[in-house]
């Protein structure tokens, strides 16, 4: 509707705002009404529907009117309605729709009242002072209920109850101080169910309970001094256990810190343990104290307690060959014997043993079985004396221990290396980890000797092979360091055993003749040792007998060759060298041995393997002369061989001619005999062929006849068998068909019989169930009903037909009339 219209029709429950320009006052006009606008009036709003606030609803009016005690708007002297500017008013469940006065405004829209469900609350805050509330105060409006809003109250949030399940607790903290709580104080709510936190309470977390069993306990620590749920006062920093005996579940308090879960320690009947720092009756740890616990038992380790070794120990079970070495930690009485700290003793099996807390088990020992060729080194810890025990089963005493004998690395290597004649360092060896407490043994090879030196008695002994050397605690092997390679180099061969020979050694010696020709001689010496049984260690008097012998022989060879010319030495080198080394006896004959008196080494023979000039020109001249001599010898041998070959060729040619003539004569004789035999063979062949053909033809015809007869017989037998087989097959097929048909007929008969019986039983059952009276009634019900129906029609005569059968009405009518 246009605001400039003169006549305005206002519907029911509608209103308009009219401004009077004369007084400059706006008034409200509500319908139903027809409003005639004057010239000085202006419609500033409307028509607008009234505001309807249904039941359980509210609305907020901004700048509401001021009302008197009866609820009527207060009008000023100028005729305008007085307003509370900047204020708001909540209107709830207004009975009648109402208009808005000029200046009033609807904030938002009409809304239903907020319903607070059970276990729910509204957190409210006062925005201005009213009644007993101060601005900033907060409180809860708990459900179930309907919240009536106020302009002085602001809804901060919806608070929902927290469900505390069984075996759970709610941890709360005070936001601000109250009559019973301090700001920041925390506590637990343990009652199961719905819990609605207050405005001064802050929910920290939900604490779940720990399930305590006979196998698990809970270790706790006090964060502050307090009294726990069992009424025990706990000091800050104190630790304790909560076990199944205390409670089946435990919810940690706000002043309790869970250190961890402690598993039960279980001891079997064959176990024990030592608890370090056990607690006393007051629950305090006894530092430094030890407590023995034997099985069968189960317990929890209290805070501060720990197991020696970290786990339960098994009871020591000793057999007849075992023992325990024990040491006293402190003075105590062991049966009737008093033990002092540091005392050592042994317990021998067979038995089982659980050490007391005053006893320390040093080690478990077992008797060491030793063969005749085995031993161990034993040291007395009191005196320090070391001895070797061999050839028996030995158990160490309480003040004895196994002693490790150290050997030089070279001796260890030689003990592990196989002893052969080739004792060079490149020979293969097997690395074996030797038990240092075992007596060192060395198998002396055949025809060899080993020297052992005792550093305690300053004496040595020589063992000849084959034999077994067993070293005492203070004995060591004498290492033989010999020269090796060609030419000889010192300290190439290292060995424990000294081979006695006979053997040989090879060396290269450079000599110079009187005419200054330098030659390189490769000599090999055969040698052996002459052992003096009165002084066997004499063979070890020279540390390197190979190097000394080679140097001595080389010196003699150089001296002898220096007096000879090259030509003379080249012709008589063997004699010169042999005489230089062995020398000559009184009769001028060469000796056959050279003895070293220092160690009884004997050289029996010398082999000159090669003689080569050192100077290249001399070597070339010698090679040329040798080649020339070889050529001359070769040519003379070729001429002799050629002459002998020609002679033998002439003799062979004559023999060949004679043999050829003899062979031709023999060939003619044999040819004649061959012709005679060929003629006789031709005659025999002609007669034999005709006879063979006749016999063969006759036999072929006989065989063909017999085969035809046999074939006819076989064909007849086959036809007979086939006919008999067909006949038997037809008979069996007919029998099977007859049997099958008979079985089918029997089944049909049986089926018909069973069906008839079933039908008879069924009909009999029906008859028996219905009864003869009912059947009779059913049979007569139709005609009786029809008779009753006709009787009710009061017909004197009638005829009933099915409508399909033709009826002769003439004859029928006569009968009816006559009957009447």
């Amino acid at each position: 509707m246009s605001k400039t219209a003169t006549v305005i029709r206002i519907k029911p429950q509608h209103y308009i705002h009219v401004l009077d320009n004369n007084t400059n006052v706006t008034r409200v006009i509500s319908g139903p009404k027809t409003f005639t606008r004057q010239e000085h009036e202006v419609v500033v709003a409307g028509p607008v529907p009234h505001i309807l606030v249904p039941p359980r609803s509210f609305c907020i009016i901004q700048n509401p009117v001021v009302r008197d005690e009866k609820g009527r708007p207060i009008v000023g002297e100028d005729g305008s309605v007085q307003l509370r500017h900047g204020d708001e008013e909540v209107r709830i469940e207004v009975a009648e729709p109402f208009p808005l006065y000029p200046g009033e405004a609807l904030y938002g829209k009409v809304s239903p009242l907020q319903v607070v469900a059970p276990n729910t609350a509204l957190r409210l805050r006062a925005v201005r002072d009213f009644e007993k509330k101060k601005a900033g105060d907060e409180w809860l409006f708990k459900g179930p209920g309907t919240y009536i809003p106020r302009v002085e109250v602001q809804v901060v949030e919806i608070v929902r109850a927290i469900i505390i399940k069984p075996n759970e607790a709610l941890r709360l903290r005070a936001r601000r101080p109250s009559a019973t709580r301090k700001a920041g104080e925390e506590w637990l709510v343990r009652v199961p169910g719905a819990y609605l936190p207050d405005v001064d309470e802050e929910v920290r977390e939900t604490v779940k309970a720990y399930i305590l069993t006979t196998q698990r306990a809970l270790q706790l620590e006090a964060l502050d001094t307090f009294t726990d749920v069992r009424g025990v006062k706990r000091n800050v920093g104190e630790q304790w256990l909560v076990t199944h005996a205390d409670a089946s579940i435990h919810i940690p308090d706000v002043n309790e810190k869970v250190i961890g879960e402690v598993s039960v320690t279980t001891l079997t009947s064959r176990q024990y343990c030592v608890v370090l720092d056990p607690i006393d009756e007051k629950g305090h740890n006894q530092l430094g104290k030890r407590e023995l616990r034997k099985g069968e038992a189960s317990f929890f380790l209290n805070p501060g307690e720990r197991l020696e070794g970290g786990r339960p120990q098994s009871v020591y079970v000793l057999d007849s060959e075992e023992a325990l070495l024990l040491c006293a930690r402190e003075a105590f009485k062991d049966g009737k014997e008093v033990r002092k700290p540091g005392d050592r003793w042994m317990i021998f099996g067979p038995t089982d043993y659980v050490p007391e807390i005053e006893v320390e088990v040093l080690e478990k020992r077992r008797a060491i079985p030793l063969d005749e060729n085995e031993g161990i080194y034993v040291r007395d810890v009191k005196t320090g004396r070391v001895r070797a025990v061999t050839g028996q089963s030995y158990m160490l005493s309480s003040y004895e221990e196994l002693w490790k004998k150290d050997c030089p690395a070279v001796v260890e290597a030689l003990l592990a290396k196989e002893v052969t004649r080739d004792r060079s360092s490149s020979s293969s060896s097997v690395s074996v980890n030797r038990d240092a407490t075992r007596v060192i043994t060395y198998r002396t090879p055949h025809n060899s000797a080993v020297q052992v030196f005792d550093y305690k008695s300053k004496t040595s002994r020589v063992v000849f092979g084959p034999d077994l050397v067993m070293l005492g605690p203070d004995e060591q092997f004498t290492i033989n360091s010999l020269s090796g390679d060609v030419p000889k180099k010192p300290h190439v061969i290292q060995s424990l055993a000294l081979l006695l020979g006979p053997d040989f050694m090879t060396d290269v010696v450079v000599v110079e003749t009187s005419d200054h020709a330098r030659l390189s001689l490769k000599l090999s010496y055969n040698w052996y040792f002459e052992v003096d049984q009165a002084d066997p260690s004499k063979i070890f008097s020279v540390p390197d007998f190979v190097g000394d012998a080679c140097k001595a022989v080389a010196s003699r060879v150089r001296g002898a060759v220096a007096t000879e010319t090259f030509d003379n030495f080249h012709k008589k080198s063997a004699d010169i060298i042999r005489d230089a080394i062995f020398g000559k006896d009184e009769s001028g004959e060469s000796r056959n041995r050279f003895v070293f008196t220092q160690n009884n080494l004997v050289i029996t023979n010398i082999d000159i393997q090669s003689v080569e000039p050192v100077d290249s020109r001399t070597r070339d001249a010698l090679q040329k002369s040798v080649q020339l001599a070889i050529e001359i010898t070769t040519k003379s041998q070729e001429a002799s061989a050629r002459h002998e070959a020609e002679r033998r060729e002439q003799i062979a040619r004559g023999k060949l001619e004679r043999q050829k003539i003899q062979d031709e004569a023999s060939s003619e004789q044999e040819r004649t005999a061959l012709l005679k035999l060929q003629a006789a063979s031709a005659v025999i062949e002609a007669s034999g062929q005709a006879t063979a053909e006749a016999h063969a033809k006759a036999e072929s015809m006989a065989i063909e006849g017999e085969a035809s007869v046999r074939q006819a017989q076989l064909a007849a037998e086959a036809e007979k068998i086939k006919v008999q087989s067909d006949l038997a097959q037809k008979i069996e097929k007919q029998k099977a068909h007859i049997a099958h048909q008979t079985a089918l007929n029997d089944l049909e008969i049986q089926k018909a019989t069973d069906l008839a019986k079933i039908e008879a039983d069924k009909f009999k059952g029906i008859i028996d169930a219905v009864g003869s009276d009912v059947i009779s009634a059913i049979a007569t019900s139709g005609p009786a009903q029809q008779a009753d129906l006709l009787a009710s029609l009061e017909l004197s005569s009638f005829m009933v037909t099915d409508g399909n059968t033709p009826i002769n009405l003439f004859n029928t009518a006569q009968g009816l009339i006559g009957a009447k």
Side-chain angles (χ1 to χ4, degrees), residues 36 122 213 542 654:
T36 303
L122 295 179
T213 64
V542 179

Side-chain angles (χ1 to χ4, degrees), residues 688-708:
Q689 183 176 3
T691 305
E693 288 179 355
H695 284 292
K697 188 173 182 181
E699 291 178 357
S700 174
M701 294 177 67
I703 291 170
E704 288 180 358
E706 292 177 356
S708 299

